[in-house]
Amino acid sequence: MVNITGTLIWYYYICKREVWFMAHQIEPIQDHPNIEIGRVIHENTYTRENKEIKFDDMVIDIFFKSDRDTVIAEIKKSSKFEKSSKMQLAFYLMKLKEKGIDLKGEIRFPLEKKKVKFQLTSNIEQELNRVCKEIKKIYEQEEPPKLEKTKYCWDCGYYELCWI
């Protein structure tokens, strides 16, 4: 049985084939430039914040107090994947809510000097529940989903596995 994680939610909105690979512990090339850049951004930004809070199977990038709210935040390289980022954050918020912890969310794009506030809604929770079921179906397939060329393929850590 697959353990649904925020990373799988993130990949779901980019490429179903990536979901299959990641769910089967086939990781992307770790020295891929995009992965390395993301790692450097994560390690070298927001150094004064509480970073990498582990809770159950989640790793939350940042945890902080803002005015009257407690907020969790995800750090992302680019807003190019804003929908994926929002849904990953929503997944964390939903899992925390299930434990009785109601928080606000924020996505930070340090290279763009951009912050996006985010709040979990019942519609998003319904979408996440549907996506979790679809991820389980993808995982249960004997082979990864068929190749579908997208605008993201050329810069993907799985590119060589899919296209070469």
Side-chain angles (χ1 to χ4, degrees), residues 11-94:
Y11 278 123
Y12 177 86
Y13 287 91
I14 306 296
C15 173
K16 309 302 185 276
R17 194 169 167 88
E18 285 182 293
V19 169
W20 191 91
F21 290 142
M22 190 58 79
H24 287 88
Q25 282 81 47
I26 301 169
E27 293 192 5
I29 298 169
Q30 292 302 300
D31 63 353
H32 186 278
N34 275 339
I35 293 172
E36 286 184 353
I37 291 167
R39 194 176 301 122
V40 168
I41 290 169
H42 187 348
E43 290 170 359
N44 295 299
T45 58
Y46 309 110
T47 55
R48 295 183 193 163
E49 306 280 358
N50 293 318
K51 290 173 74 173
E52 290 221 347
I53 307 302
K54 292 178 170 75
F55 185 82
D56 284 349
D57 293 332
M58 299 178 282
V59 180
I60 298 164
D61 289 347
I62 301 174
F63 178 86
F64 64 98
K65 282 290 246 183
S66 170
D67 299 327
R68 293 176 222 94
D69 298 318
T70 302
V71 181
I72 60 171
E74 278 295 299
I75 302 169
K76 297 298 180 185
K77 181 180 78 157
S78 165
S79 60
K80 177 169 76 170
F81 302 109
E82 192 168 327
K83 171 76 173 182
S84 299
S85 301
K86 284 181 178 178
M87 296 311 288
Q88 179 181 6
L89 180 59
F91 179 76
Y92 295 150
L93 291 169
M94 184 174 81

